[in-house]
Amino acid sequence: MAIHHANAVLPDEPEKATLEGKNKILGFWLFLGGETVLFGSLFATFLALRDQANGGPTGKELFGLPLVAAATLLLLTSSMTAVMATLALHKKNLKQIQVWLTITVLLGLGFLGLEIYEFMHYVHEGHKISSSAFGSAFYTLVGFHGGHVAFGILWIILLQVSATKKGLTVVTAPKFYLASLYWHFIDVVWVFIFTVVYLMGMIGGKVG
């Protein structure tokens, strides 16, 4: 009953209803700016080392489109469900938020499962983090992104648990919004990984 009452008095954009909420959003955008610089550095390192396979398998020999495309589809679909969760937030519908974020988590887990399978396959083929500069750069970049996905999943799960107790308020609403924003960020980063690492790797083209 308390949750329904709280939802009834929420403004149209509850995540921005308070100064604290607005400050959290601003601070999070600054955090994402730092993350963008960090990922940019990893991308630059990968591009510089992508041809240094040290006699081991190259990206053109390793990468297969079906597996990577399936992982990409899962993650992009999860971005859509995160959008639906944000729309539910603006409708002040906690139940719909929970449903869409649960689907987001499941899709994210599916993505991580495919990535783990992919890494195991590459290791079996002789592509290890210590085997070459290409291996180090690849696993650092893609693995770092995978770590972000895992963190996002954990964050959303903890929000789900907390929301069952606290409901949807001007305090909890910004947390849902920021989690969705974070999820969109890691999805965008994956689009760049898919293009720069996998598609360019399958083509086997040189850079510069």
Side-chain angles (χ1 to χ4, degrees):
M1 183 65 68
I3 291 177
H4 290 306
H5 177 71
N7 291 349
V9 298
L10 286 175
D12 291 337
E13 293 185 322
E15 73 276 9
K16 301 176 183 177
T18 64
L19 180 60
E20 180 182 1
K22 293 178 180 178
N23 288 338
K24 284 181 178 179
I25 294 173
L26 176 60
F28 198 74
W29 275 112
L30 295 176
F31 164 74
L32 291 184
E35 287 282 281
T36 300
V37 173
L38 180 56
F39 271 107
S41 299
L42 294 178
F43 274 109
T45 301
F46 175 81
L47 288 172
L49 301 176
R50 63 191 290 263
D51 297 316
Q52 309 301 316
N54 194 31
T58 64
K60 190 173 183 179
E61 296 168 331
L62 286 169
F63 301 150
L65 185 59
L67 181 65
V68 180
T72 302
L73 179 61
L74 286 176
L75 206 56
L76 293 183
T77 302
S78 75
S79 188
M80 182 189 72
T81 58
V83 168
M84 298 304 295
T86 301
L87 293 177
L89 172 64
H90 292 160
K91 294 178 182 177
K92 307 130 193 175
N93 191 320
L94 180 59
K95 184 177 181 180
Q96 286 187 12
I97 295 173
Q98 300 275 42
V99 169
W100 288 116
L101 287 182
T102 297
I103 297 174
T104 301
V105 166
L106 292 175
L107 292 168
L109 288 172
F111 171 85
L112 284 182
L114 288 179
E115 186 163 87
I116 292 171
Y117 172 81
E118 175 194 19
F119 284 2
M120 292 175 62
H121 171 71
Y122 292 161
V123 169
H124 178 73
E125 294 294 321
H127 180 54
K128 303 176 182 179
I129 192 170
S130 59
S131 62
S132 65
F134 167 51
S136 298
F138 170 81
Y139 284 110
T140 300
L141 172 58
V142 181
F144 190 62
H145 174 267
H148 277 66
V149 174
F151 174 78
I153 290 172
L154 179 61
W155 183 4
I156 292 174
I157 290 175
L158 293 177
L159 281 180
Q160 297 274 58
V161 173
S162 176
T164 59
K165 301 176 181 179
K166 299 179 181 179
L168 184 60
T169 68
V170 293
V171 175
T172 59
K175 298 177 182 179
F176 282 112
Y177 182 81
L178 293 180
S180 294
L181 188 62
Y182 176 84
W183 197 261
H184 294 315
F185 171 76
I186 59 179
D187 286 350
V188 170
V189 172
W190 178 255
V191 171
F192 281 96
I193 291 177
F194 177 72
T195 303
V196 173
V197 176
Y198 292 100
L199 290 185
M200 291 175 61
M202 291 176 204
I203 295 172
K206 300 284 186 178
V207 177

